[in-house]
Amino acid sequence: MLKVLILSIVIIIAVLALSVFAISKGYAYEHKIDPLPDDSKLDDKEEKNS
């Protein structure tokens, strides 16, 4: 019975550690997006379309 309790605690600690590791790695990921277009380029396109 004691062996089952110790094994359960070890599994719980391992799952908790892996969860914390995965969450911290996800937050550390550098998300990259396309840059926003310049306002001057938008104005030129709008004037050509008008």
Side-chain angles (χ1 to χ4, degrees):
M1 184 69 183
L2 185 62
K3 290 180 182 179
V4 173
L5 180 65
I6 292 172
L7 181 63
S8 300
I9 291 173
V10 168
I11 291 173
I12 290 170
I13 291 172
V15 169
L16 179 63
L18 290 172
S19 299
V20 169
F21 174 74
I23 290 170
S24 66
K25 192 166 180 132
Y27 276 117
Y29 181 76
E30 183 179 341
H31 298 278
K32 298 178 183 175
I33 59 171
D34 294 333
L36 293 173
D38 292 337
D39 289 337
S40 60
K41 290 180 182 178
L42 285 175
D43 292 338
D44 293 342
K45 288 181 182 179
E46 289 176 359
E47 288 175 5
K48 288 179 182 177
N49 289 339
S50 296

